[in-house]
Amino acid sequence: MEQVIENLPGLREGAASASGAQAVERALQLLSIVGRGAEKGVALAEVVADSGLNKPTARRLLMALMRSRLVEQDELTRRYYLGGELYVLGMLASRRHGLLEMAGESLKRLSARSADTSFVSMRREDYAVCLHREEGTHPVRTHALLTGDQNPLGVGAGSLAMLAALPDAEVDGILGRIEGVIAAQYPGYSTDIIRDDVARTREVGYALNPGRVIANSWGIGMAILLPDGRLAGALSIAAIDSRMGEARQKELAAQLGQEVERVQGKLKALFGSENPALRKAPQASRSGMPERV
């Protein structure tokens, strides 16, 4: 059990007033309470009342879960929500109901029809992580993105498609946080370039990476949305630059659109509009991008 504590950053503080096993059990109890809050979140007072813990202990364990990115706190309302790390872990662990499972057949169709490499990606905080790469049959392939690779949101086609699907305020926050990483590690990019790319993506309905990561490796991507309009991930196709002319971009965009609709149909069947938490969330516009309010 000591190893479990060691592997969850911050839980050692929560174990200061209890045994290791008890600290983990209490932390998981709080995680379940926060999860029941769904879209509304939960206040610290609610956590204390539901858990039976005193306020300092509940706060200490919540802080440990936040450091592990399993819980997050809204800066304005101070309410607690499930963190993005849980979404990532769930996606990576669940092949039956995860995005990777739902997109698997679509990736095979995309690579079979285009002969190029296709990808499914998802958001992880300010980054995009590639969940799977499906090889095409064209003899000249691009190796710009491998399964497990992460890039800041906006870098690469699928990553850009996801960034463009987020509300303006969230885009601004992400770009502010990743500006240093972009300047240090991605010479083909700047936050101004990414802003222009976001605007273009929203205008034409798909994201294009014109070889900014690797010069001769181009990509085209499209966001996948949940039934309530929130971001689920992205599908993308990469090819060498000679195979990404303007006419073919439109052809590939049409193929991506068909497969995105298929994946979104599976997500709708899984989650359904009867979910009250989904019913209250902002809906996507007809263009596939969130409505700006």
Side-chain angles (χ1 to χ4, degrees):
M1 184 57 66
E2 288 78 4
Q3 185 63 41
V4 173
I5 297 291
E6 192 69 28
N7 289 338
L8 288 176
L11 280 184
R12 285 167 293 186
E13 287 83 346
S17 60
S19 69
Q22 188 178 44
V24 172
E25 290 170 357
R26 287 178 171 179
L28 293 176
Q29 179 191 13
L30 297 195
L31 197 60
S32 177
I33 293 170
V34 172
R36 292 200 296 270
E39 295 295 308
K40 298 184 299 180
V42 296
L44 179 57
E46 296 173 70
V47 174
V48 169
D50 290 350
S51 68
L53 298 174
N54 59 48
K55 187 174 180 179
T57 299
R59 174 63 176 163
R60 185 167 56 248
L61 289 171
L62 285 169
M63 290 293 292
L65 291 168
M66 289 170 64
R67 286 190 288 272
S68 301
R69 298 188 297 277
L70 300 174
V71 166
E72 58 189 30
Q73 186 180 35
D74 186 278
E75 294 182 0
L76 295 178
T77 66
R78 312 307 295 171
R79 297 178 74 83
Y80 296 93
Y81 299 82
L82 292 180
E85 187 70 9
L86 282 173
Y87 181 72
V88 173
L89 291 173
M91 285 294 191
L92 294 176
S94 174
R95 296 190 61 87
R96 178 173 174 81
H97 295 302
L99 180 60
L100 177 56
E101 174 70 14
M102 293 184 180
E105 292 300 319
S106 289
L107 292 179
K108 291 177 182 177
R109 278 190 294 267
L110 286 171
S111 290
R113 291 179 64 186
S114 69
D116 292 309
T117 307
S118 63
F119 311 85
V120 59
S121 302
M122 62 174 289
R123 179 184 178 184
R124 184 174 189 177
E125 297 182 339
D126 295 339
Y127 287 77
V129 57
C130 176
L131 296 179
H132 184 69
R133 169 191 176 102
E134 186 72 26
E135 299 287 357
T137 57
H138 192 269
V140 182
R141 301 174 187 177
T142 171
H143 294 281
L145 188 64
L146 303 176
T147 300
D149 282 353
Q150 297 186 64
N151 287 310
L153 286 170
V155 174
S159 178
L160 172 60
M162 288 190 282
L163 183 65
L166 299 175
D168 290 336
E170 195 165 358
V171 171
D172 290 341
I174 290 168
L175 292 181
R177 292 189 294 271
I178 67 174
E179 186 172 10
V181 175
I182 295 295
Q185 300 179 23
Y186 297 87
Y189 283 91
S190 69
T191 53
D192 286 339
I193 288 174
I194 294 176
R195 288 184 191 278
D196 289 342
D197 286 348
V198 165
R200 180 191 179 281
T201 299
R202 291 172 175 173
E203 180 181 352
V204 302
Y206 62 87
L208 179 70
N209 166 30
R212 291 208 178 99
V213 181
I214 295 178
N216 66 344
S217 178
W218 286 44
I220 185 170
M222 195 170 291
I224 301 167
L225 303 178
L226 293 167
D228 64 347
R230 288 180 296 123
L231 178 67
L235 296 180
S236 58
I237 300 173
I240 56 175
D241 51 2
S242 61
R243 291 174 59 77
M244 275 285 185
E246 187 173 347
R248 192 158 192 268
Q249 289 174 26
K250 294 180 180 178
E251 176 186 333
L252 294 178
Q255 294 177 19
L256 280 170
Q258 292 173 0
E259 297 305 331
V260 164
E261 286 188 6
R262 286 191 172 102
V263 176
Q264 289 180 164
K266 293 178 182 179
L267 289 168
K268 184 176 181 180
L270 174 62
F271 292 108
S273 59
E274 73 280 358
N275 187 327
L278 294 177
R279 208 178 297 136
K280 295 182 180 180
Q283 297 296 313
S285 67
R286 291 186 180 181
S287 67
M289 301 300 172
E291 294 285 5
R292 266 55 189 178
V293 294

